[in-house]
Amino acid sequence: MNPDPRIADEQTHLDAVYGRIDRMRATTNRRLRETLAEAGDTPQALSERESYERLYVDDLAKLDAAEHNLYFGRLEVDPDDDDDGAETRRIGRIGVLDDDDEDTTLLLDWRAPLSRPFYLATPADPDGVRVRRHIRTSNRAVRTVTDEVLDGSAVSDPAEGTAGGVTLGDVVNESALVAALNAARTGEMADIVETIQREQDLIIRSPHRGVTVVQGGPGTGKTAVALHRAAYLLYTHRDLLARSGVLILGPNTDFLRYISQVLPSLGETGVLLSTIGNLLPGLDTAVVDPPAAAVLKGSTDILTVLKRHARSYQSLPKQPVTVRFDGYPLAIDSALVKTARAKARSTRRAHNQAQREFLRSALHGLAAAYASRIGSSLLDGSQMLSGAEIADIRDEMRDDEDLVQAVLAFWPRLEPKRVLSDLLTSATAIRGATPGWSEADRAALLRPAHAPFTVGDVPLLDEIAELIGAGTDDDEAAAQAQWRKQLSEAQEALDILTGSAPQDIEDEIDPEILMAYDLIDAEQLAQRQRITTHRTTAERAYEDRTWTFGHVIVDEAQELSAMAWRMVMRRIPNRWMTVIGDTAQTSNPAGASSWSAVFEPYVEKRWRLHELTVNYRTPAEIMRYAARLLERLDPALTPPTSLRSNGIEPTAVHAEGPAAHTAVDLAIACDWPGLTGVIVTDDDYDAAVAALGDRTGVVVHTVTGCKGLEFDTTVVVEPAAIVAASERGLNDLYVALTRATQRLVVVAGNEMPPELADLPGWHSS
């Protein structure tokens, strides 16, 4: 067989691209070494060194991440002028310019506008493309080349027929797509930059600056679309998003680990990946509430409860509290506190910020009482002290720590974790904050004193932080006060140096001797005592509750409660969001049942819905059973159409003993190709993990833990128990059945949902 000349041609170009990449890597490494060798002996030099260091490290990370399948596409495009020659555009993961005099473009970034016809051109609408070439590489070698002739000048080889109802001839780069779908899973998500389809590209590059909702059934590539949209937006709006950052919210940490390599492979490393459970600085939890508590905490009805409880800290003394000032007894009574409380509330500021006004007003009342004791005329009882003198007394009282603490007992400074713990661990506090609630709901909210915070608590903590003003301008005022203290201490240090300077230096040489106070002032000295950190945008955002992002992407968005959405919306005031989900897969009892209910309170009608209709993951053989569940969930929902049929029918296995043990033993014994996922209920999880031991190639997940993941083979354990485990058990089972890319096995005892009763191999005993 004669060698394909196209492969030799593309290999020559690929060699040139990697040669340039290697030179870029060598140059960046050299600059990094030179930067690290610099002394950085001044604050400015140190700052510059750290900035350059991060720049070079990020550049190296991008070059390394883009190494695999760097070059994958080529277009022959009709020229803009009358020249007969076609324009050649070569497309890769990142843009690469040659280091020649003309800065020749070796590769176009896949996100560049000139690359877009690679994903959108069709024979019916070629967009000026004569030939689209798909190039598959491995280890810097070109393996295959496939051409599609789109302008009608020659006959290409479109795929004939359909698979699962989808016309393969309409699929862009069908051979590469099918190869990617059939490839064994590794436990990490792969990007789809080579195989982006038209319906996906339209969403990835959407110019909409509001809320974009992407609804799609299992396997439609929602997550891939979201991640590639993040990469596209960072490329297109670099200046804006480099400063404000992009937040990607996922359903759990397993999911975040699964997708963590996608963005680096696309040339992006500065995105914050988080779950709701660790979105609040200083808290990281994956603990899930029982269903009843989840519903109560997820509803916006809890807002009234939180407000009422937070206000309960603004108390009145049951009996007057006696304090002493300058030897005189003074009473903190109900009238004094009530007046101060009214003054503080009239500011309409959050609790912690209003505390200053409460203290000022209360001290003013105590100062007036004190002045009445010592400054009243013996003749007529009139006040002999001036207003300025009474103000001075109030200022002196402010320095009396015991007196101030006694006053602030009736308006204490609050911290969100303490407030929420005080509420949830006290039946009395719950009863006081929930008038009209049933005893069953109050009992559902109550928890033991030392129970950990849950994922459902995190939005409540964020709400309390807003209510009481934690982490806002009050913290900034505290920071300014700390700076003033440092400045004062620095000036005192310089004053000591000045006072201890030698006095016997001869006049004629005095000007030649420089002392510390000649070289530095108090502000410079104080500044040197500050610890300066140079962090990425994502790192700074992670540690700042009040950070607002330029764009937010929410995956498995149907799982967020109404309270969780309030938390998310605080972080994206511009409402520029990409939301990915499927309401048919909602597991959280407090999750979404419709997108309009989620977004209309925030953006009214200013949100756009896109639907993905092709199932790239799940073979038609499996989807046939999953579609029955979908019809039972909501007859109005249309299941996504599977792209392919692989001829492997789902099967059922009857478990004689514990089904979780049977499932794990089966997965180990069969040793199916690729990655096998065993999906169990929460109750069976520990037993299944123990049965698996340290075996590789098989993983165990709960139903909620498998969201967003995929496996070559999925073993679903006790589907009837999954349905019965929660009020949204049918949704959970629908999720579990649609995780497989090749094979589905169901293991059960004596019960099987009716939709699966005719699975081959099943018989009830």
Side-chain angles (χ1 to χ4, degrees):
M1 180 182 294
N2 293 325
D4 189 337
R6 298 174 301 172
I7 291 181
D9 180 43
E10 297 302 346
Q11 185 66 58
T12 298
H13 188 75
L14 184 63
D15 291 342
V17 173
Y18 275 117
R20 175 62 177 137
I21 290 289
D22 288 342
R23 293 193 296 276
M24 292 167 65
R25 187 181 284 113
T27 299
T28 305
N29 270 314
R30 174 177 55 80
R31 290 175 176 170
L32 178 59
R33 288 194 301 270
E34 292 171 351
T35 297
L36 293 174
E38 293 176 0
D41 49 3
T42 67
Q44 180 176 352
L46 180 61
S47 176
E48 291 177 355
R49 187 185 75 177
E50 292 181 348
S51 296
Y52 279 116
E53 178 187 351
R54 183 168 293 282
L55 172 65
Y56 296 142
V57 169
D58 286 348
D59 286 346
L60 288 172
K62 291 175 183 178
L63 293 174
D64 291 342
E67 174 85 15
H68 178 63
N69 289 340
L70 173 62
Y71 171 36
F72 57 81
R74 168 174 159 167
L75 296 175
E76 299 294 333
V77 183
D78 288 330
D80 293 333
D81 53 30
D82 294 331
D83 188 357
D84 291 336
E87 174 193 356
T88 299
R89 302 176 190 170
R90 289 181 163 93
I91 299 161
R93 295 175 178 278
I94 58 174
V96 180
L97 298 178
D98 205 350
D99 48 2
D100 57 11
D101 293 337
E102 291 79 23
D103 287 335
T104 305
T105 299
L106 295 175
L107 278 186
L108 279 170
D109 192 297
W110 69 274
R111 297 165 288 188
L114 289 176
S115 300
R116 196 173 191 193
F118 183 78
Y119 301 106
L120 297 186
T122 65
D125 183 13
D127 196 16
V129 177
R130 296 182 181 181
V131 179
R132 172 170 51 210
R133 176 172 292 176
H134 304 282
I135 302 150
R136 293 187 65 78
T137 65
S138 176
N139 297 324
R140 297 195 172 194
V142 176
R143 300 303 183 190
T144 61
V145 171
T146 305
D147 284 348
E148 296 176 86
V149 180
L150 302 181
D151 65 356
S153 61
V155 178
S156 58
D157 282 330
E160 298 294 337
T162 64
V166 180
T167 303
L168 292 180
D170 293 337
V171 173
V172 176
N173 197 7
E174 175 252 322
S175 61
L177 177 59
V178 172
L181 296 177
N182 287 326
R185 268 45 194 172
T186 64
E188 289 184 351
M189 184 179 181
D191 63 68
I192 61 166
V193 65
E194 300 173 67
T195 58
I196 294 171
Q197 301 301 302
R198 183 182 183 89
E199 70 171 359
Q200 296 170 329
D201 189 81
L202 293 172
I203 298 169
I204 290 168
R205 300 178 196 254
S206 169
H208 182 51
R209 291 294 291 261
V211 177
T212 298
V213 179
V214 183
Q215 164 82 25
T220 52
K222 300 184 298 297
T223 297
V225 166
L227 295 175
H228 287 69
R229 178 159 172 77
Y232 172 76
L233 293 176
L234 284 162
Y235 175 87
T236 309
H237 304 279
R238 177 75 62 190
D239 291 343
L240 168 63
L241 296 181
R243 293 191 305 270
S244 56
V246 172
L247 169 66
I248 296 180
L249 280 174
N252 53 60
T253 54
D254 286 338
F255 174 82
L256 296 184
R257 282 193 293 269
Y258 175 63
I259 69 172
S260 62
Q261 294 305 310
V262 174
L263 284 169
S265 75
L266 299 174
E268 298 298 341
T269 57
V271 175
L272 177 61
L273 276 65
S274 179
T275 66
I276 289 294
N278 60 17
L279 187 56
L280 200 63
L283 184 62
D284 187 357
T285 179
V287 180
V288 178
D289 283 301
V295 171
L296 293 171
K297 293 179 181 180
S299 169
T300 52
D301 292 343
I302 200 73
L303 288 171
T304 303
V305 176
L306 298 178
K307 291 175 182 176
R308 189 176 288 119
H309 178 64
R311 182 162 279 207
S312 70
Y313 291 91
Q314 302 168 6
S315 58
L316 296 174
K318 296 178 180 179
Q319 298 292 334
V321 175
T322 301
V323 294
R324 304 190 72 83
F325 179 73
D326 198 22
Y328 290 89
L330 299 172
I332 302 175
D333 57 19
S334 182
L336 177 85
V337 174
K338 189 176 294 185
T339 300
R341 188 172 68 176
K343 287 281 188 180
R345 289 177 177 175
S346 69
T347 66
R348 297 188 178 276
R349 306 191 72 196
H351 176 95
N352 285 352
Q353 281 75 59
Q355 186 193 63
R356 291 194 290 272
E357 178 58 32
F358 175 84
L359 180 62
R360 191 203 65 81
S361 178
L363 292 181
H364 181 80
L366 290 174
Y370 176 76
S372 179
R373 293 285 299 271
I374 68 168
S376 298
S377 170
L378 295 176
L379 295 177
D380 57 7
S382 61
Q383 181 55 256
M384 299 175 62
L385 299 179
S386 66
E389 290 171 319
I390 295 176
D392 289 340
I393 294 171
R394 184 186 64 207
D395 292 341
E396 289 180 32
M397 287 180 170
R398 192 182 297 274
D399 294 330
D400 188 324
E401 292 187 8
D402 292 338
L403 188 150
V404 168
Q405 287 181 7
V407 170
L408 292 183
F410 303 101
W411 194 293
R413 184 176 180 81
L414 300 179
E415 191 274 327
K417 290 181 181 179
R418 172 199 163 187
V419 172
L420 187 60
S421 292
D422 287 351
L423 172 65
L424 299 182
T425 61
S426 168
T428 302
I430 291 175
R431 187 174 298 106
T434 57
W437 278 36
S438 69
E439 289 303 318
D441 283 348
R442 288 171 177 161
L445 210 56
L446 184 65
R447 69 171 183 224
H450 300 294
F453 285 110
T454 67
V455 174
D457 290 333
V458 176
L460 307 191
L461 290 167
D462 195 62
E463 193 71 41
I464 291 169
E466 288 291 309
L467 286 173
I468 67 177
T472 54
D473 58 341
D474 195 59
D475 286 348
E476 179 64 23
Q480 290 296 327
Q482 178 65 24
W483 169 243
R484 288 193 295 271
K485 180 180 179 182
Q486 287 181 308
L487 198 61
S488 175
E489 291 173 350
Q491 185 61 58
E492 289 178 5
L494 288 177
D495 289 343
I496 292 172
L497 286 174
T498 303
S500 62
Q503 305 298 317
D504 56 351
I505 298 177
E506 297 179 12
D507 292 341
E508 61 269 19
I509 65 172
D510 184 38
E512 299 178 9
I513 297 178
L514 295 177
M515 305 301 291
Y517 43 79
D518 295 317
L519 300 174
I520 193 170
D521 60 21
E523 185 167 355
Q524 290 172 312
L525 181 59
Q527 184 67 43
R528 289 192 175 190
Q529 310 313 308
R530 283 185 164 183
I531 298 174
T532 303
T533 58
H534 301 272
R535 298 168 296 167
T536 65
T537 298
E539 288 168 340
R540 287 183 284 124
Y542 182 73
E543 296 175 6
D544 184 356
R545 189 192 71 82
T546 62
W547 188 276
T548 55
F549 293 88
H551 191 81
V552 169
I553 292 174
V554 185
D555 205 337
E556 300 291 346
Q558 74 277 356
E559 298 302 321
L560 270 62
S561 68
M563 287 299 295
W565 279 114
R566 284 177 63 87
M567 183 179 184
V568 172
M569 290 299 178
R570 288 193 189 99
R571 284 146 180 82
I572 187 70
N574 66 8
R575 302 294 190 259
W576 190 18
M577 306 174 68
T578 303
V579 175
I580 313 297
D582 179 13
T583 52
Q585 298 185 61
T586 304
S587 294
N588 185 356
S593 56
S594 79
W595 298 120
S596 58
V598 170
F599 295 110
E600 289 185 6
Y602 299 101
V603 295
E604 296 181 343
K605 302 291 184 180
R606 300 186 305 279
W607 58 280
R608 294 183 182 177
L609 176 66
H610 297 263
E611 293 196 63
L612 295 173
T613 59
V614 178
N615 187 336
Y616 300 96
R617 176 204 300 144
T618 316
E621 289 83 356
I622 296 175
M623 202 61 206
R624 181 168 65 250
Y625 292 92
R628 298 174 180 176
L629 285 174
L630 188 64
E631 183 177 1
R632 184 174 162 190
L633 282 167
D634 186 347
L637 294 176
T638 302
T641 304
S642 293
L643 176 71
R644 64 201 170 98
S645 173
N646 67 356
I648 304 175
E649 287 292 334
T651 58
V653 173
H654 193 282
E656 299 297 337
H661 283 240
T662 300
V664 171
D665 291 343
L666 181 68
I668 294 172
C670 290
D671 193 23
W672 291 296
L675 183 65
T676 296
V678 178
I679 301 177
V680 298
T681 63
D682 291 351
D683 291 341
D684 284 338
Y685 178 75
D686 290 339
V689 170
L692 179 61
D694 58 358
R695 297 276 184 158
T696 59
V698 180
V699 293
V700 176
H701 286 280
T702 63
V703 179
T704 54
C706 76
K707 276 191 171 294
L709 306 182
E710 61 183 17
F711 316 97
D712 298 279
T713 297
T714 299
V715 182
V716 178
V717 181
E718 295 289 13
I722 291 174
V723 173
S726 77
E727 62 184 72
R728 291 194 165 170
L730 279 175
N731 304 66
D732 291 340
L733 182 57
Y734 180 63
V735 171
L737 293 178
T738 53
R739 299 303 95 196
T741 66
Q742 302 294 339
R743 179 183 291 98
L744 171 65
V745 179
V746 176
V747 177
N750 297 321
E751 292 185 82
M752 185 75 81
E755 292 81 6
L756 305 180
D758 61 343
L759 276 170
W762 175 249
H763 62 89
S764 59
S765 59

